[in-house]
């Protein structure tokens, strides 16, 4: 009887451990998806001629954060999949070229501690395109064969064009400039 | 900018009188590079090194000889943005440079809406974005000429400077139904869009009718908007008949400019018509004899 109870208790213990592992695994995935490494804030007070509604603001922040998380992932592990859905047009083309080029050269890039201060500077009258200025601050590492050959903390300026897709805002242009 | 131990200048046993293996590398980028142009980086030092170029759309690794210029191919510099160049031997040195868009070659032109009622204020808008041949957004200020033409009449002709790579306009629609040609041109390269202008809401809706053996036959006069444009077929006119038995309504689409309805009623009847927010005249018919 005692043996049966012990066995049952041991079984429950395994089940609990399994559940705990599953919970932790799910949490790890969620926290990756939550983009905790990418901070985005948006100022849309100067945007015009159309006013940026608060729900649109929230959508832009969410989708811009997700796009940078996806881009960082694509450039770190040199895969195209994360780029699907977040990028379109020219931005998607050159990101794919970058990944393909990195695959050939054996180089990858790692983006860390991203902080993006977005300013909406133009929102089309019909809401079909928005231009943003991103002052981005992050740590970027260039890696070859597991060896970091370049590690730099940068503050960069990006001119960004975003357009609304079926269920999200997508980045169509992401162009680094020396200054705004 | 910091360099990691793997690439840092390492003086092997320098403290114990050994030979310093570190080499001074210097790498210098040009101040300005235009997309699609070739460029050269200058280096100092001697011996062999590995050169890395990382930028939008490119990631390249090549062997170089220090002290010589590093040629950058035009095809590697087609995308505007920031590029990182790193040269590594026993130590790594890096430099960055920006590639800017080339001359504008195409114009992305978004116009809304595709169909618009006539005589609506601020109803037509357009956004133009100049791009170079490599699809980089041209950020230097340019003048885009917007023209709106309906038939032979010019509704708008305006030069708008681009700001951060965007020029836009907003305008009222014309007074006549038909095709509105919307043109944006940059350096005499026009981009054309068409907006269909349609009649606005009906104006002065008038009806007439007479008794028939089956009841009442009622119809509108040709339906026009306030600018005299024929309201498109398919627009619904609602006829309302009120008699001793109560009120009844019937919807009839405009066909060949006129909406018709048959109403069953033998007593004295008052008929009205409405389309959208516009009411027509009242038609009073006596009881059937």
């Amino acid at each position: 009887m005692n043996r049966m109870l012990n066995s049952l208790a041991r079984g429950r213990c395994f089940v609990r451990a399994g559940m705990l592992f599953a919970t932790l695994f799910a949490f790890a995935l969620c926290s990756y998806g939550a983009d905790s490494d990418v901070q985005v804030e948006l100022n849309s007070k100067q945007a015009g001629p159309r006013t940026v509604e608060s729900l649109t603001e929230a959508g832009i922040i969410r989708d811009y954060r997700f796009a940078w998380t996806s881009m960082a992932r694509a450039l770190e592990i040199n895969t195209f999949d994360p780029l699907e859905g977040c990028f379109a047009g020219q931005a998607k083309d050159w990101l794919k070229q970058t990944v393909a080029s990195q695959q050939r050269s054996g180089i990858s890039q790692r983006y860390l501690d991203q902080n993006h201060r977005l300013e909406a500077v133009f929102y089309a009258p019909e809401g079909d395109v928005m231009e943003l200025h991103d002052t981005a601050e992050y740590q970027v590492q260039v890696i070859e064969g597991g060896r970091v050959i370049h590690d730099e903390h940068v503050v960069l300026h990006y001119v960004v064009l975003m357009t609304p897709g079926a269920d999200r805002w997508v980045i169509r242009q992401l162009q680094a400039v020396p200054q705004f | 900018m910091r360099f990691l131990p793997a690439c840092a200048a390492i003086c092997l046993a320098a403290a114990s009188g050994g030979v310093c293996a570190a080499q001074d590398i210097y790498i210098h980028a040009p101040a300005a590079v235009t997309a699609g142009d070739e460029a050269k980086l200058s280096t100092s030092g001697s011996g062999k090194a590995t050169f890395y170029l990382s930028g939008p759309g490119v990631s390249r690794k090549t062997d170089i000889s220090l002290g010589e210029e590093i040629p950058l191919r035009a095809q590697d510099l087609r995308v505007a943005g920031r590029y990182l160049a790193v040269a590594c031997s026993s130590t790594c040195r890096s430099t960055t440079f920006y590639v800017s868009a080339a001359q504008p070659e195409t114009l992305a032109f978004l116009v809304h809406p595709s169909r618009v009622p006539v005589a609506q204020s601020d109803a037509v808008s357009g956004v133009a974005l100049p791009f170079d041949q490599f699809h980089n957004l041209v950020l230097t200020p340019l003048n885009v000429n917007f023209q709106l033409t309906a038939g032979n009449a010019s509704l708008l002709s305006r030069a708008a400077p681009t700001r951060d790579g965007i020029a836009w306009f907003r305008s009222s629609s014309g007074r006549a139904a038909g095709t509105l040609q919307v043109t944006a041109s940059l350096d005499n390269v026009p981009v054309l869009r068409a907006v269909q202008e349609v009649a606005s809401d009906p104006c002065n809706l008038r009806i007439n009718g007479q008794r028939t053996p089956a009841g009442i036959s009622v119809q509108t006069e040709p339906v026009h908007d306030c600018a005299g444009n024929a309201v498109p077929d398919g627009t619904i006119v609602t006829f309302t008949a009120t008699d001793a038995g109560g009120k009844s309504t019937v919807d009839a689409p405009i066909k060949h400019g006129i909406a018709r309805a048959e109403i069953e009623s033998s007593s004295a009847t008052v008929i009205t018509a409405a389309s959208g927010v516009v009411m027509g005249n009242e038609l009073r018919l006596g009881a059937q004899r």
Side-chain angles (χ1 to χ4, degrees):
Chain A
M1 188 68 174
N2 275 345
R3 201 176 294 162
M4 269 180 69
L5 285 174
N6 282 340
S7 164
L8 199 62
R10 209 177 300 137
R12 278 182 186 156
C13 193
F14 279 131
V15 169
R16 278 182 194 156
M19 285 171 67
L20 182 64
F21 176 76
T23 308
L24 288 173
F25 184 68
F27 180 75
L29 283 178
C30 288
S31 56
Y32 193 90
D35 320 330
S36 56
D37 198 30
V38 180
Q39 305 297 322
V40 178
E41 55 188 76
L42 169 63
N43 175 5
S44 60
K45 290 189 178 71
Q46 303 300 318
R50 189 184 178 96
T51 306
V52 183
E53 303 292 340
S54 56
L55 275 176
T56 307
E57 268 189 6
I60 291 284
I61 291 170
R62 178 197 62 212
D63 297 334
Y64 195 73
R65 179 188 294 137
F66 187 63
W68 270 87
T69 306
S70 303
M71 185 176 85
R73 195 167 176 222
L75 294 175
E76 183 170 356
I77 59 177
N78 282 339
T79 180
F80 299 106
D81 295 347
L83 303 175
E84 295 300 328
C86 311
F87 296 90
Q90 173 65 4
K92 188 174 180 178
D93 287 349
W94 74 250
L95 275 169
K96 282 188 160 183
Q97 284 171 29
T98 308
V99 170
S101 193
Q102 286 191 167
Q103 285 172 343
R104 287 194 295 273
S105 63
I107 293 169
S108 62
Q109 294 181 67
R110 189 180 290 150
Y111 290 78
L112 302 165
D113 304 327
Q114 295 184 46
N115 204 326
H116 299 268
R117 289 197 309 279
L118 284 174
E119 188 183 3
V121 294
F122 178 82
Y123 190 24
E126 296 298 323
D128 48 359
V129 62
M130 186 185 290
E131 181 174 320
L132 303 123
H133 286 177
D134 177 15
T135 303
E137 190 173 354
Y138 52 80
Q139 194 78 19
V140 60
Q141 297 177 337
V142 180
I143 300 157
E144 191 212 2
R147 190 176 69 121
V148 178
I149 57 170
H150 182 76
D151 188 358
E152 183 183 9
H153 180 83
V154 292
V155 179
L156 299 180
H157 303 290
Y158 289 92
V159 173
V160 186
L161 292 180
M162 293 185 83
T163 57
D167 59 348
R168 70 184 71 173
W169 285 80
V170 295
I171 296 179
R172 287 196 165 267
Q173 202 82 20
L174 185 66
Q175 203 165 306
V177 292
Q179 63 208 24
F180 295 128
Chain B
M1 199 179 299
R2 67 190 163 92
F3 299 94
L4 292 193
C7 285
I10 304 166
C11 286
L12 297 173
S16 57
V19 179
C20 183
Q23 253 181 350
D24 279 340
I25 303 177
Y26 179 74
I27 182 165
H28 179 72
V33 180
T34 302
D37 283 356
E38 291 178 347
K40 283 178 181 168
L41 302 177
S42 55
T43 62
S44 67
S46 60
K48 297 288 181 191
T50 307
F51 171 71
Y52 302 88
L53 178 68
S54 178
V58 64
S59 177
R60 195 157 67 86
K61 175 189 171 186
T62 47
D63 293 329
I64 56 164
S65 296
L66 292 172
E68 295 179 3
E69 286 187 327
I70 308 168
L72 301 180
R73 300 175 300 182
Q75 67 200 61
D76 288 337
L77 305 173
R78 285 185 300 190
V79 184
R82 181 182 187 260
Y83 288 71
L84 170 72
V86 183
C88 291
S89 60
S90 58
T91 181
C92 290
R93 286 289 182 268
S94 68
T95 186
T96 59
F97 59 96
Y98 283 88
V99 170
S100 58
Q103 289 298 307
E105 191 162 293
T106 59
L107 205 55
F109 189 29
L110 310 170
V111 175
H112 282 284
S114 58
R115 205 172 140 93
V116 64
V118 296
Q120 302 281 310
S121 61
D122 289 343
V124 183
S125 66
V127 178
L129 302 96
F131 289 91
D132 68 8
Q133 60 174 312
F134 309 108
H135 310 293
N136 299 303
L137 181 63
V138 180
L139 296 166
T140 50
L142 301 163
N143 268 333
V144 178
N145 290 300
F146 293 113
Q147 283 193 318
L148 273 68
T149 314
N152 292 326
S154 174
L155 300 182
L156 174 87
S157 180
R158 181 193 300 164
T162 59
R163 189 177 167 190
D164 299 316
I166 293 181
W168 68 283
F169 76 90
R170 187 154 51 191
S171 170
S172 302
S173 56
R175 305 225 15 115
T179 303
L180 176 68
Q181 307 272 7
V182 186
T183 311
S185 53
L186 181 71
D187 294 336
N188 299 320
V189 178
V191 179
L192 185 67
R193 299 285 181 266
V195 173
Q196 197 62 37
E197 289 187 308
V198 296
S200 194
D201 289 333
C203 197
N204 297 322
L205 191 61
R206 297 199 61 79
I207 58 171
N208 56 60
Q210 64 273 338
R211 286 213 169 267
T212 62
I216 300 168
S217 175
V218 64
Q219 66 176 35
T220 64
E221 291 179 1
V223 185
H224 294 100
D225 67 7
C226 295
N229 300 294
V231 171
D233 283 2
T235 304
I236 298 295
V237 175
T238 302
F239 295 96
T240 303
T242 309
D243 61 11
K247 190 181 277 188
S248 62
T249 61
V250 58
D251 287 341
I254 292 173
K255 194 174 175 184
H256 300 308
I258 291 170
R260 292 184 177 85
E262 300 292 330
I263 296 169
E264 288 181 12
S265 175
S266 56
S267 57
T269 308
V270 177
I271 301 169
T272 58
S275 182
V277 294
V278 178
M279 291 287 291
N281 62 305
E282 218 174 58
L283 180 67
R284 291 173 180 273
L285 293 172
Q288 196 166 31
R289 291 177 194 166

